[in-house]
Amino acid sequence: KAVRYANKKSSVNDDLKEMLESNKDSLKLDAMKRIIALIAKGKNASELFPAVVKNVASKNIELKKLVYVYLVRYAEEQQDLALLSISTFQRALKDPNQLIRASALRVLSSIRVPIIVPIMMLAIKEAASDMSPYVRKTSAHAIQKLYSLDPDQKEHLIEVIDKLLKDKSTLVAGSVVMAFEEVCPDRIDLIHKNYRKLCNLLVDVEEWGQVVIISMLTRYARTQFTSPWKENERHFDENSETAFYESDEKKTKNGDENKSYVMDPDHRLLLRNTKPLLQSRNTAVVVSVAQLYWHLAPKHEVGVITKSLVRLLRSHREVQYVVLQNIATMSIQRKGMFEPYMKSFYVRSTDATHIKSLKLEILTSLANEANISTILREFQTYVKSQDKQFAAGTIQAIGRCATNISEVTDTCLQGLVLLLSNRDETVVAESVVVIKKLLQTQPTQHSDIIKHMAKLFDNIAVPMARASILWLMGEYCERVPQIAPDVLRKMAKSFTSEEDIVKLQTVNLAAKLYLTNSKQTKLLTQYILNLGKYDQNYDIRDRTRFIRQLIVPNEKSGALGKYARRILLAPKPAPVLESTYKDRDRYQLGTLSHTINTKASGYLELSDWPAVAPDQSVRNVEVIEPVRINLLLPVPAHHPGPTPRVAMSSSEAESDEEKSSSQSSEESDKSSSQSEKSSSESDSEQKTKKPQKKTVKDRYHTIMKYSTCTVAVKYVGTLVRFTILVLRAVTRFCPEEVPVSLSLFSLCILTPCPLSCAALLLQVSGPAFVPEKSHDLLHRMTGKGLSAQYQFPRQPCLYQPTMVSVQISLTNTSDHPLEQIHIGDRSPTGLNMHCFNTIECLLPEASVTVSLGVDFNDSTQAANFQLCTKEDQFSVSIQPAVGELFLPVTMTEQDFHKEQGKLSYAVNSPQKYPNHYLAQSDRTLADQSRVATVANLGVVPSGQDNIHRFAGKTASSGAVVLVTVELRGESTALITINTEKSVMGPMLLRDLKRALAQA
């Protein structure tokens, strides 16, 4: 069988090698898909490394992506072969496709060979300055890999981390903070300037990034802010009215006045920005926010986390276990937080044993005089459980309740005595152990219980229970003088067949009875000591010899025999029944160390609150006001227009211009003459040479002079008018000719197109409103158990900027797993769509959310395609509303009017509001929310209360769309839409009128 399997495996590998060595990209692509599928199933595909690495330089983008995925998996194992392709990876770092650049860096950092550390360091530094946030995110991931390979690079890596921490992209934030935590978690000074930015970006960061950032900010806050907890409220009582209403000016015993606590604004910023994340669908995020509030928030505000933590108890067992551990720790210090949700901690029959134990722990911690009767009734049911371990834990919980609440001690003891007659040996044994601990608290009042346990001694077989009864007999032998010797007599008969723990307690009982009642037990004691002297267990032999020398006086016993009674019959302190989670709060909640109750590798302890708050000015970020420079670029000879000029709109720039007018005029003359020469030369060359497709460098031959007021730009192409924001610091540089950095000025690549180029320069902003409404894509009846719904998340598509992002939720409502869910044929034929990866298996009642990218080509025409499983194909379609085809943009009111004057198409229509709509003062927010609901547009600031403006551009072509809503009177508004595409306006106007007409 093994030979047959080996032959089959070798034949499969041979087929894949042949496909990889063929000349057809389709065969290579199919082979790589099969190889990646093998890796996903956990099978070893390292034998194919030589054949795969040959295709690393393929021009097929899809094939190259799959090759890089394979190399990331096996580069560390096949280092020698991977090193041969390093030059290819270095070239790929310059690839126009961001996914290829990121994949190349990922592979390069996966080759763990010290010799290429300088190459990796250089690649990381370049990627950290990449225009794509996805590549910058990958560079942050590579930092951790390089640091683990060569820790000596720490200082250089810290420089890159410092640079990436200043990045404003939410895609990068989580990854760079993770790199910070791995490389230099003690460098708090790097966080100062970025603290407020991280707090504000937190809501938009991806989920696992949120977890890392929250953990880091928790440690940061414990070092930078003073404690919000009052010293006299170490055990805070949420039900105490005096703690809430007492005056802040109440005098202390020394006559000094308590200083009222004022929370640092940055401390409040962190609490305020993390609070919405309690509604996150990711469990780790909710737990992270909960631990942040537990460690940082004022005690009267911590209650906000309770409901969110209880909500997580409906999740999987693994999630329940971690959440219940955190709740168990919290409930010990603050019972009032979780007492209203006590029923959520009742044990269910379907719970696992470890979940049941944690719920028991919490219920015991929540017990008080008011609810103890309810909890004990619940415990009575648990004792009858078929799970013996859980039943034993319940008896221990009853013992804890009896110890903590004196009012129910007698009731609990009586109930435990009744359990001694139970048929289950485990229940009886645990009851004896707990009764023994309870009797130590009040031994004088419960001699009857000791007698009752002695009567049941013969029926109890569990060693621990027998040993506990013997210990009770010996400890309180004077209170049962007639029963204890009889028990010793029975033990003398069965001594040789007892367990070791029972034998030890028998020896102790014999010694105590010898000291208190030697007349009746002297011979029995000598007999037991003789049996123990020759026992097989050396512990019993040693104990027997020690007891003999201690209690039986002779010449060799020495002075110790005088103190035998004080040694053996000394009063023992009553045991304290405490929760096992009492000391868990020494570890930060939500960490691995807290879960395993041991300091794990890499754990960073929370520091104590500083007595005096450090200087808060270190978090102040200097706001540099930009200088706006309006550039009118030089015009080719065939293009009519005004002469190129440079205009600066800033008071400071004007003053600088007066100081250096002579220098600037000379430089501007030179630059203008150079631009005229270049334009004439380009015209002459165009006449003699054939027109060729121009690259970015050909279209942009740009030179900037960094002087106080001169900027000269050469451009070959159409007339373009745009605005560059330059920092004041840049205008102070010495006048040198350097290329303009497109990333520095946030310029897009301008390409000749019939649309206005201003549309390409508009900066995309975040959505003003994300609709939660989902649309049915496939009904469960039609889909044979497969249900699908889609919605528009209104985020820029990661796969291609011209696509509209679509989120699809797939649910298996059948009773059998669905395999190989994927996208099949699509129509129209030219539809550009980025499909999600094939879902190999979707279990019954399981759901998964996938992302899709669709280029609707600025049309509301439905995208039709087939949603396929292994056995079936279902025709589905996504119908976009016109408002979902836009991306919101940011612009000022002045820029809005300028763009409005350029657009060729405009539609407008008056719209009446419904009766009793809203007061004049409340309409602004209502109108903005209604328009944002209909269309994915950005809000433009308006200086007029009765006019609301919105701006956006189409995702596919970048066509500008401007919307103006002007309020006229109390019940009428004029809607005006300016756009570059005539078909867009009427459709959008119809939807807006319908939205504003709703009551």
Side-chain angles (χ1 to χ4, degrees):
K1 188 176 181 180
V3 172
R4 196 161 53 241
Y5 175 77
N7 293 335
K8 182 179 179 181
K9 182 179 178 182
S10 62
S11 64
V12 171
N13 289 344
D14 292 341
D15 293 342
L16 292 173
K17 287 178 182 178
E18 290 181 7
M19 296 171 70
L20 289 171
E21 293 173 357
S22 68
N23 297 326
K24 295 182 179 180
D25 285 346
S26 59
L27 288 176
K28 293 181 179 180
L29 192 60
D30 186 40
M32 284 307 306
K33 288 181 179 178
R34 290 169 60 182
I35 293 172
I36 299 300
L38 290 174
I39 296 174
K41 293 177 181 178
K43 297 183 179 179
N44 186 11
S46 58
E47 296 180 4
L48 300 169
F49 194 92
V52 173
V53 80
K54 293 178 183 178
N55 297 283
V56 73
S58 173
K59 294 181 180 179
N60 188 305
I61 300 296
E62 295 298 324
L63 178 61
K64 184 177 286 190
K65 289 179 187 176
L66 294 176
V67 171
Y68 280 164
V69 171
Y70 178 89
L71 292 178
V72 168
R73 171 65 181 80
Y74 290 108
E76 189 172 353
E77 298 178 12
Q78 305 278 349
Q79 294 177 354
D80 295 338
L81 289 174
L83 285 173
L84 298 176
S85 304
I86 282 205
S87 58
T88 307
F89 303 144
Q90 290 179 292
R91 287 196 301 271
L93 291 171
K94 308 292 183 182
D95 195 277
N97 191 318
Q98 60 174 352
L99 298 178
I100 298 299
R101 297 199 301 273
S103 299
L105 180 59
R106 194 178 295 114
V107 176
L108 195 61
S109 58
S110 299
I111 306 175
R112 304 185 61 77
V113 180
I115 197 173
I116 67 166
V117 166
I119 299 175
M120 289 172 61
M121 190 72 241
L122 183 62
I124 290 173
K125 287 184 176 180
E126 291 181 355
S129 304
D130 198 279
M131 292 183 65
S132 168
Y134 181 68
V135 179
R136 300 198 297 272
K137 176 187 177 77
T138 308
S139 71
H141 292 166
I143 288 174
Q144 305 168 54
K145 297 181 182 179
L146 180 55
Y147 179 69
S148 64
L149 179 62
D150 185 7
D152 295 336
Q153 300 291 327
K154 181 175 180 178
E155 294 302 321
H156 299 291
L157 293 174
I158 289 177
E159 295 177 5
V160 182
I161 291 173
D162 188 21
K163 180 178 181 180
L164 289 174
L165 279 171
K166 300 173 184 176
D167 200 301
K168 295 182 180 180
S169 173
T170 55
L171 198 63
V172 182
S175 301
V176 67
V177 170
M178 188 66 209
F180 169 82
E181 293 278 77
E182 290 287 335
V183 178
C184 53
D186 55 332
R187 288 292 302 273
I188 296 294
D189 56 296
L190 300 179
I191 306 298
H192 290 324
K193 297 292 184 182
N194 304 290
Y195 171 81
R196 292 170 185 167
K197 182 196 72 176
L198 289 173
C199 289
N200 291 323
L201 289 181
L202 195 55
V203 178
D204 298 320
V205 176
E206 46 91 19
E207 293 170 340
W208 294 111
Q210 290 173 346
V211 175
V212 176
I213 294 175
I214 290 172
S215 177
M216 184 272 295
L217 291 179
T218 303
R219 290 192 301 106
Y220 177 87
R222 286 293 287 260
T223 62
Q224 300 300 312
F225 308 128
T226 55
S227 173
W229 310 328
K230 294 181 180 179
E231 293 182 0
N232 58 349
E233 291 182 355
R234 186 172 297 276
H235 299 289
F236 183 78
D237 185 7
E238 290 85 356
N239 299 323
S240 174
E241 295 183 1
T242 58
F244 185 83
Y245 291 106
E246 68 181 355
S247 172
D248 291 336
E249 298 180 356
K250 184 178 180 181
K251 293 187 177 180
T252 61
K253 294 180 181 179
N254 298 328
D256 300 329
E257 293 185 354
N258 286 329
K259 294 182 180 179
S260 59
Y261 171 75
V262 179
M263 182 176 285
D264 189 295
D266 289 328
H267 191 172
R268 175 57 63 190
L269 175 69
L270 177 59
L271 295 175
R272 184 173 62 247
N273 285 11
T274 52
K275 185 176 179 180
L277 296 180
L278 288 171
Q279 310 302 323
S280 174
R281 62 182 179 181
N282 189 298
T283 306
V285 176
V286 178
V287 174
S288 296
V289 177
Q291 65 85 20
L292 181 140
Y293 263 76
W294 179 259
H295 293 298
L296 301 182
K299 294 183 178 179
H300 63 276
E301 296 183 17
V302 180
V304 299
I305 68 176
T306 308
K307 193 172 183 179
S308 299
L309 288 175
V310 172
R311 170 174 63 88
L312 299 180
L313 298 181
R314 305 187 187 98
S315 189
H316 305 292
R317 288 181 178 179
E318 295 78 10
V319 173
Q320 290 183 44
Y321 180 70
V322 176
V323 173
L324 285 170
Q325 279 194 323
N326 287 273
I327 293 176
T329 303
M330 295 178 185
S331 61
I332 293 172
Q333 296 186 21
R334 302 180 192 173
K335 299 181 180 180
M337 281 178 56
F338 296 97
E339 189 176 346
Y341 301 94
M342 190 173 66
K343 290 185 178 180
S344 299
F345 304 110
Y346 285 174
V347 174
R348 301 176 181 176
S349 58
T350 55
D351 288 337
T353 302
H354 59 281
I355 301 296
K356 293 177 181 177
S357 300
L358 281 169
K359 288 186 174 181
L360 269 180
E361 194 76 36
I362 296 170
L363 286 173
T364 310
S365 299
L366 297 180
N368 55 35
E369 293 82 354
N371 58 25
I372 185 62
S373 58
T374 305
I375 291 178
L376 287 179
R377 280 199 302 271
E378 192 73 15
F379 284 173
Q380 288 176 5
T381 307
Y382 300 163
V383 170
K384 302 173 185 177
S385 173
Q386 297 298 319
D387 187 343
K388 304 308 176 186
Q389 183 180 348
F390 171 55
T394 304
I395 295 172
Q396 294 177 7
I398 294 174
R400 272 184 57 196
C401 292
T403 306
N404 298 335
I405 305 171
S406 57
E407 288 83 353
V408 296
T409 303
D410 294 338
T411 306
C412 292
L413 261 176
Q414 293 173 7
L416 291 172
V417 171
L418 293 175
L419 291 177
L420 295 177
S421 304
N422 197 296
R423 295 180 180 179
D424 190 350
E425 294 181 353
T426 307
V427 173
V428 175
E430 200 64 40
S431 300
V432 171
V433 174
V434 174
I435 289 173
K436 167 203 161 187
K437 294 178 180 179
L438 291 177
L439 288 180
Q440 286 183 258
T441 60
Q442 298 174 334
T444 58
Q445 301 177 13
H446 301 290
S447 57
D448 293 338
I449 296 178
I450 299 176
K451 295 177 182 178
H452 181 69
M453 294 173 69
K455 293 177 181 178
L456 297 173
F457 183 78
D458 293 338
N459 299 326
I460 297 175
V462 178
M464 180 58 72
R466 293 174 68 85
S468 298
I469 294 176
L470 291 173
W471 184 91
L472 280 172
M473 293 295 166
E475 188 68 17
Y476 307 113
C477 57
E478 295 177 350
R479 302 189 184 280
V480 284
Q482 297 178 354
I483 297 177
D486 192 53
V487 172
L488 183 62
R489 179 183 58 80
K490 293 180 180 179
M491 289 307 304
K493 293 181 179 179
S494 61
F495 184 85
T496 55
S497 61
E498 296 288 347
E499 295 290 336
D500 292 342
I501 189 172
V502 180
K503 291 179 180 179
L504 289 172
Q505 291 302 330
T506 303
V507 173
N508 286 343
L509 174 61
K512 292 176 182 178
L513 287 174
Y514 183 87
L515 294 174
T516 59
N517 190 3
S518 59
K519 292 182 179 180
Q520 290 183 335
T521 59
K522 182 177 180 180
L523 294 176
L524 274 175
T525 302
Q526 290 178 354
Y527 176 71
I528 290 174
L529 291 179
N530 288 332
L531 291 175
K533 183 179 178 180
Y534 301 103
D535 196 87
Q536 294 182 354
N537 188 295
Y538 60 84
D539 284 335
I540 298 172
R541 295 197 301 269
D542 292 346
R543 174 73 62 87
T544 303
R545 288 170 182 144
F546 169 73
I547 293 295
R548 184 186 295 275
Q549 295 298 322
L550 185 64
I551 65 174
V552 181
N554 56 40
E555 297 178 357
K556 299 180 180 179
S557 61
L560 191 62
K562 300 177 183 179
Y563 305 101
R565 181 178 289 272
R566 295 176 60 181
I567 292 174
L568 292 175
L569 298 177
K572 280 80 172 178
V576 179
L577 300 177
E578 295 180 340
S579 171
T580 55
Y581 288 83
K582 182 181 179 182
D583 299 326
R584 287 278 184 106
D585 57 346
R586 67 181 182 272
Y587 298 114
Q588 184 177 347
L589 297 186
T591 60
L592 176 63
S593 299
H594 176 267
T595 302
I596 62 178
N597 199 22
T598 304
K599 189 174 181 179
S601 176
Y603 174 72
L604 299 172
E605 293 185 354
L606 283 178
S607 60
D608 294 330
W609 294 101
V612 179
D615 183 15
Q616 62 179 357
S617 63
V618 294
R619 291 183 292 277
N620 293 337
V621 181
E622 183 181 358
V623 180
I624 304 175
E625 297 182 1
V627 176
R628 176 160 293 182
I629 305 175
N630 295 320
L631 298 180
L632 189 62
L633 299 178
V635 187
H638 65 274
H639 210 321
T643 307
R645 66 181 183 276
V646 177
M648 299 186 67
S649 56
S650 173
S651 59
E652 185 175 344
E654 290 173 1
S655 62
D656 290 341
E657 188 175 0
E658 292 175 359
K659 293 179 183 178
S660 58
S661 58
S662 59
Q663 181 182 357
S664 62
S665 60
E666 291 175 2
E667 291 176 352
S668 61
D669 292 339
K670 289 180 182 179
S671 61
S672 60
S673 61
Q674 290 174 359
S675 62
E676 290 173 359
K677 288 180 182 179
S678 63
S679 60
S680 60
E681 290 173 1
S682 61
D683 290 339
S684 61
E685 290 175 2
Q686 287 179 359
K687 291 178 181 179
T688 56
K689 296 181 180 180
K690 294 182 180 180
Q692 297 179 352
K693 185 178 181 181
K694 296 182 180 296
T695 63
V696 175
K697 291 183 179 179
D698 295 328
R699 290 199 298 268
Y700 282 91
H701 178 58
T702 311
I703 296 176
M704 172 168 283
K705 289 181 176 292
Y706 288 93
S707 61
T708 52
C709 63
T710 303
V711 180
V713 181
K714 294 182 182 179
Y715 177 78
V716 179
T718 19
L719 173 64
V720 181
R721 192 173 184 181
F722 60 100
T723 301
I724 307 177
L725 298 180
V726 187
L727 300 179
R728 278 185 181 149
V730 176
T731 62
R732 301 289 189 270
F733 290 171
C734 58
E736 297 177 353
E737 291 188 353
V738 293
V740 174
S741 171
L742 297 183
S743 60
L744 176 63
F745 300 115
S746 301
L747 288 179
C748 300
I749 298 174
L750 301 179
T751 53
C753 63
L755 301 177
S756 169
C757 291
L760 298 170
L761 294 170
L762 299 176
Q763 184 178 1
V764 177
S765 63
F769 174 82
V770 179
E772 298 180 356
K773 181 181 179 182
S774 298
H775 309 275
D776 287 331
L777 184 67
L778 181 64
H779 193 269
R780 60 187 180 86
M781 299 298 293
T782 311
K784 297 182 180 179
L786 178 62
S787 171
Q789 291 184 323
Y790 70 92
Q791 64 180 21
F792 296 93
R794 293 190 174 181
Q795 295 290 342
C797 187
L798 179 64
Y799 313 115
Q800 194 171 327
T802 59
M803 290 184 176
V804 174
S805 183
V806 183
Q807 231 175 39
I808 299 179
S809 297
L810 301 170
T811 306
N812 183 2
T813 62
S814 65
D815 56 355
H816 61 276
L818 298 176
E819 297 180 353
Q820 296 182 10
I821 303 174
H822 61 281
I823 300 295
D825 297 336
R826 60 198 88 155
S827 66
T829 309
L831 177 65
N832 187 11
M833 177 187 295
H834 188 283
C835 306
F836 58 85
N837 295 330
T838 301
I839 300 171
E840 295 296 335
C841 182
L842 188 62
L843 299 176
E845 303 302 324
S847 298
V848 66
T849 302
V850 295
S851 296
L852 200 68
V854 183
D855 189 350
F856 289 102
N857 197 21
D858 293 351
S859 170
T860 56
Q861 182 181 357
N864 302 311
F865 56 94
Q866 288 185 336
L867 188 60
C868 307
T869 62
K870 187 175 182 180
E871 294 85 11
D872 303 292
Q873 297 177 349
F874 311 103
S875 296
V876 295
S877 63
I878 296 178
Q879 179 73 51
V882 64
E884 304 297 344
L885 303 178
F886 306 137
L887 293 175
V889 297
T890 304
M891 64 170 59
T892 63
E893 186 176 3
Q894 183 180 4
D895 294 336
F896 183 95
H897 291 303
K898 289 181 181 179
E899 296 297 330
Q900 198 174 30
K902 300 174 190 176
L903 300 177
S904 53
Y905 298 100
V907 291
N908 56 54
S909 174
Q911 172 60 42
K912 288 188 176 182
Y913 285 106
N915 295 332
H916 312 296
Y917 175 56
L918 282 174
Q920 182 73 22
S921 59
D922 298 333
R923 286 187 182 175
T924 301
L925 185 60
D927 286 342
Q928 289 181 358
S929 63
R930 286 169 182 260
V931 173
T933 303
V934 173
N936 189 19
L937 300 174
V939 180
V940 178
S942 176
Q944 299 164 285
D945 293 336
N946 64 326
I947 297 180
H948 314 313
R949 297 182 175 89
F950 309 85
K953 67 175 183 178
T954 58
S956 183
S957 63
V960 179
V961 178
L962 306 177
V963 177
T964 306
V965 180
E966 181 181 359
L967 302 180
R968 294 185 174 183
E970 296 183 356
S971 60
T972 307
L974 178 64
I975 306 173
T976 304
I977 300 177
N978 301 86
T979 178
E980 295 181 71
K981 291 200 169 186
S982 59
V983 73
M984 285 281 184
M987 298 172 64
L988 181 58
L989 181 63
R990 177 200 61 198
D991 293 348
L992 289 177
K993 286 171 64 68
R994 188 179 301 163
L996 293 176
Q998 293 177 356

